mmCIF file of all heavy atoms in Angstrom:
data_model
loop_
_atom_site.group_PDB
_atom_site.id
_atom_site.type_symbol
_atom_site.label_atom_id
_atom_site.label_comp_id
_atom_site.label_asym_id
_atom_site.label_seq_id
_atom_site.Cartn_x
_atom_site.Cartn_y
_atom_site.Cartn_z
ATOM 1 N N VAL A 1 0.842 -1.171 -0.024
ATOM 2 C CA VAL A 1 0.008 0.006 0.011
ATOM 3 C C VAL A 1 0.893 1.257 0.006
ATOM 4 O O VAL A 1 1.776 1.400 0.868
ATOM 5 C CB VAL A 1 -0.908 0.041 1.206
ATOM 6 C CG1 VAL A 1 -1.769 1.278 1.247
ATOM 7 C CG2 VAL A 1 -1.843 -1.210 1.213
ATOM 8 N N GLN A 2 0.630 2.144 -1.006
ATOM 9 C CA GLN A 2 1.388 3.350 -1.049
ATOM 10 C C GLN A 2 0.739 4.522 -0.352
ATOM 11 O O GLN A 2 1.398 5.451 0.134
ATOM 12 C CB GLN A 2 1.665 3.694 -2.521
ATOM 13 C CG GLN A 2 2.496 2.635 -3.240
ATOM 14 C CD GLN A 2 2.734 2.906 -4.669
ATOM 15 O OE1 GLN A 2 3.804 3.284 -5.059
ATOM 16 N NE2 GLN A 2 1.689 2.740 -5.514
ATOM 17 N N LEU A 3 -0.588 4.562 -0.306
ATOM 18 C CA LEU A 3 -1.337 5.562 0.366
ATOM 19 C C LEU A 3 -2.413 4.876 1.283
ATOM 20 O O LEU A 3 -3.143 4.019 0.847
ATOM 21 C CB LEU A 3 -2.089 6.489 -0.601
ATOM 22 C CG LEU A 3 -1.274 7.258 -1.619
ATOM 23 C CD1 LEU A 3 -2.157 8.067 -2.547
ATOM 24 C CD2 LEU A 3 -0.279 8.163 -0.911
ATOM 25 N N VAL A 4 -2.423 5.282 2.582
ATOM 26 C CA VAL A 4 -3.312 4.707 3.553
ATOM 27 C C VAL A 4 -4.338 5.711 4.005
ATOM 28 O O VAL A 4 -3.922 6.778 4.561
ATOM 29 C CB VAL A 4 -2.540 4.153 4.751
ATOM 30 C CG1 VAL A 4 -3.537 3.531 5.739
ATOM 31 C CG2 VAL A 4 -1.549 3.060 4.287
ATOM 32 N N GLU A 5 -5.604 5.508 3.717
ATOM 33 C CA GLU A 5 -6.685 6.423 4.047
ATOM 34 C C GLU A 5 -7.431 5.955 5.250
ATOM 35 O O GLU A 5 -7.577 4.778 5.511
ATOM 36 C CB GLU A 5 -7.657 6.531 2.856
ATOM 37 C CG GLU A 5 -7.014 6.998 1.548
ATOM 38 C CD GLU A 5 -7.809 6.551 0.360
ATOM 39 O OE1 GLU A 5 -8.319 5.394 0.370
ATOM 40 O OE2 GLU A 5 -7.888 7.324 -0.647
ATOM 41 N N SER A 6 -7.959 6.947 6.004
ATOM 42 C CA SER A 6 -8.763 6.650 7.170
ATOM 43 C C SER A 6 -9.703 7.787 7.447
ATOM 44 O O SER A 6 -9.469 8.897 6.988
ATOM 45 C CB SER A 6 -7.874 6.320 8.380
ATOM 46 O OG SER A 6 -7.165 7.459 8.771
ATOM 47 N N GLY A 7 -10.766 7.501 8.236
ATOM 48 C CA GLY A 7 -11.639 8.553 8.661
ATOM 49 C C GLY A 7 -13.041 8.571 8.054
ATOM 50 O O GLY A 7 -13.890 9.361 8.406
ATOM 51 N N GLY A 8 -13.298 7.704 7.026
ATOM 52 C CA GLY A 8 -14.575 7.642 6.416
ATOM 53 C C GLY A 8 -15.577 7.063 7.391
ATOM 54 O O GLY A 8 -15.270 6.469 8.398
ATOM 55 N N GLY A 9 -16.831 7.279 7.048
ATOM 56 C CA GLY A 9 -17.901 6.739 7.851
ATOM 57 C C GLY A 9 -19.265 7.336 7.579
ATOM 58 O O GLY A 9 -19.448 8.006 6.610
ATOM 59 N N LEU A 10 -20.174 7.182 8.502
ATOM 60 C CA LEU A 10 -21.538 7.642 8.431
ATOM 61 C C LEU A 10 -21.750 8.796 9.368
ATOM 62 O O LEU A 10 -21.385 8.690 10.567
ATOM 63 C CB LEU A 10 -22.556 6.516 8.726
ATOM 64 C CG LEU A 10 -24.030 6.906 8.741
ATOM 65 C CD1 LEU A 10 -24.507 7.384 7.418
ATOM 66 C CD2 LEU A 10 -24.838 5.724 9.272
ATOM 67 N N VAL A 11 -22.330 9.906 8.851
ATOM 68 C CA VAL A 11 -22.580 11.068 9.755
ATOM 69 C C VAL A 11 -23.870 11.711 9.307
ATOM 70 O O VAL A 11 -24.281 11.648 8.148
ATOM 71 C CB VAL A 11 -21.391 12.086 9.647
ATOM 72 C CG1 VAL A 11 -21.259 12.631 8.224
ATOM 73 C CG2 VAL A 11 -21.562 13.196 10.648
ATOM 74 N N GLN A 12 -24.542 12.359 10.236
ATOM 75 C CA GLN A 12 -25.780 13.101 9.936
ATOM 76 C C GLN A 12 -25.509 14.430 9.297
ATOM 77 O O GLN A 12 -24.410 15.002 9.502
ATOM 78 C CB GLN A 12 -26.635 13.287 11.196
ATOM 79 C CG GLN A 12 -27.145 12.008 11.795
ATOM 80 C CD GLN A 12 -28.039 12.256 13.031
ATOM 81 O OE1 GLN A 12 -28.258 13.401 13.418
ATOM 82 N NE2 GLN A 12 -28.556 11.219 13.602
ATOM 83 N N ALA A 13 -26.432 14.889 8.518
ATOM 84 C CA ALA A 13 -26.312 16.237 7.881
ATOM 85 C C ALA A 13 -26.002 17.289 8.937
ATOM 86 O O ALA A 13 -26.658 17.286 10.025
ATOM 87 C CB ALA A 13 -27.561 16.561 7.091
ATOM 88 N N GLY A 14 -25.065 18.181 8.621
ATOM 89 C CA GLY A 14 -24.646 19.161 9.575
ATOM 90 C C GLY A 14 -23.514 18.789 10.433
ATOM 91 O O GLY A 14 -22.908 19.621 11.136
ATOM 92 N N GLY A 15 -23.158 17.527 10.392
ATOM 93 C CA GLY A 15 -22.063 16.999 11.187
ATOM 94 C C GLY A 15 -20.718 17.205 10.590
ATOM 95 O O GLY A 15 -20.594 17.798 9.521
ATOM 96 N N SER A 16 -19.705 16.671 11.262
ATOM 97 C CA SER A 16 -18.328 16.814 10.789
ATOM 98 C C SER A 16 -17.623 15.492 10.682
ATOM 99 O O SER A 16 -18.008 14.526 11.391
ATOM 100 C CB SER A 16 -17.554 17.720 11.761
ATOM 101 O OG SER A 16 -18.148 19.038 11.825
ATOM 102 N N LEU A 17 -16.594 15.458 9.901
ATOM 103 C CA LEU A 17 -15.810 14.240 9.742
ATOM 104 C C LEU A 17 -14.402 14.683 9.312
ATOM 105 O O LEU A 17 -14.229 15.713 8.667
ATOM 106 C CB LEU A 17 -16.441 13.336 8.682
ATOM 107 C CG LEU A 17 -16.194 11.847 8.721
ATOM 108 C CD1 LEU A 17 -16.731 11.253 10.026
ATOM 109 C CD2 LEU A 17 -16.859 11.152 7.510
ATOM 110 N N ARG A 18 -13.435 13.892 9.635
ATOM 111 C CA ARG A 18 -12.038 14.171 9.281
ATOM 112 C C ARG A 18 -11.432 12.959 8.552
ATOM 113 O O ARG A 18 -11.491 11.859 9.036
ATOM 114 C CB ARG A 18 -11.177 14.512 10.476
ATOM 115 C CG ARG A 18 -9.742 14.921 10.063
ATOM 116 C CD ARG A 18 -8.966 15.462 11.228
ATOM 117 N NE ARG A 18 -8.578 14.453 12.219
ATOM 118 C CZ ARG A 18 -7.705 14.657 13.179
ATOM 119 N NH1 ARG A 18 -7.175 15.838 13.367
ATOM 120 N NH2 ARG A 18 -7.418 13.651 14.016
ATOM 121 N N LEU A 19 -10.882 13.219 7.369
ATOM 122 C CA LEU A 19 -10.248 12.209 6.602
ATOM 123 C C LEU A 19 -8.729 12.486 6.725
ATOM 124 O O LEU A 19 -8.266 13.600 6.730
ATOM 125 C CB LEU A 19 -10.638 12.255 5.150
ATOM 126 C CG LEU A 19 -12.149 12.126 4.825
ATOM 127 C CD1 LEU A 19 -12.317 12.129 3.323
ATOM 128 C CD2 LEU A 19 -12.721 10.816 5.438
ATOM 129 N N SER A 20 -7.984 11.371 6.718
ATOM 130 C CA SER A 20 -6.543 11.485 6.716
ATOM 131 C C SER A 20 -5.939 10.473 5.760
ATOM 132 O O SER A 20 -6.515 9.460 5.451
ATOM 133 C CB SER A 20 -5.936 11.261 8.130
ATOM 134 O OG SER A 20 -6.193 9.944 8.560
ATOM 135 N N CYS A 21 -4.781 10.850 5.234
ATOM 136 C CA CYS A 21 -4.076 9.951 4.289
ATOM 137 C C CYS A 21 -2.558 10.055 4.528
ATOM 138 O O CYS A 21 -2.032 11.191 4.631
ATOM 139 C CB CYS A 21 -4.403 10.383 2.841
ATOM 140 S SG CYS A 21 -3.496 9.517 1.554
ATOM 141 N N ALA A 22 -1.944 8.921 4.637
ATOM 142 C CA ALA A 22 -0.477 8.841 4.895
ATOM 143 C C ALA A 22 0.196 8.194 3.685
ATOM 144 O O ALA A 22 -0.218 7.145 3.238
ATOM 145 C CB ALA A 22 -0.209 8.082 6.131
ATOM 146 N N ALA A 23 1.209 8.880 3.201
ATOM 147 C CA ALA A 23 1.987 8.361 2.098
ATOM 148 C C ALA A 23 3.072 7.380 2.583
ATOM 149 O O ALA A 23 3.646 7.580 3.673
ATOM 150 C CB ALA A 23 2.607 9.471 1.261
ATOM 151 N N SER A 24 3.408 6.434 1.720
ATOM 152 C CA SER A 24 4.475 5.462 2.055
ATOM 153 C C SER A 24 5.787 6.211 2.235
ATOM 154 O O SER A 24 6.084 7.246 1.652
ATOM 155 C CB SER A 24 4.630 4.459 0.936
ATOM 156 O OG SER A 24 5.806 3.686 1.076
ATOM 157 N N ARG A 25 6.620 5.602 3.104
ATOM 158 C CA ARG A 25 7.922 6.216 3.381
ATOM 159 C C ARG A 25 8.806 6.218 2.124
ATOM 160 O O ARG A 25 9.750 7.001 2.033
ATOM 161 C CB ARG A 25 8.669 5.444 4.491
ATOM 162 C CG ARG A 25 7.978 5.573 5.874
ATOM 163 C CD ARG A 25 8.693 4.680 6.882
ATOM 164 N NE ARG A 25 10.071 5.080 7.062
ATOM 165 C CZ ARG A 25 11.013 4.381 7.758
ATOM 166 N NH1 ARG A 25 10.621 3.261 8.316
ATOM 167 N NH2 ARG A 25 12.244 4.834 7.842
#
């Protein structure tokens, strides 16, 4: 894996969410 994503999910309208992605060394 060259890019690792995290933070997706289910949220209600008006809510907040944070996505992150880490690149391979």
Side-chain angles (χ1 to χ4, degrees):
V1 178
Q2 297 178 105
L3 302 178
V4 180
E5 302 155 321
S6 63
L10 175 65
V11 65
Q12 294 183 358
S16 300
L17 206 61
R18 183 171 74 170
L19 304 182
S20 64
C21 175
S24 169
R25 294 176 62 190

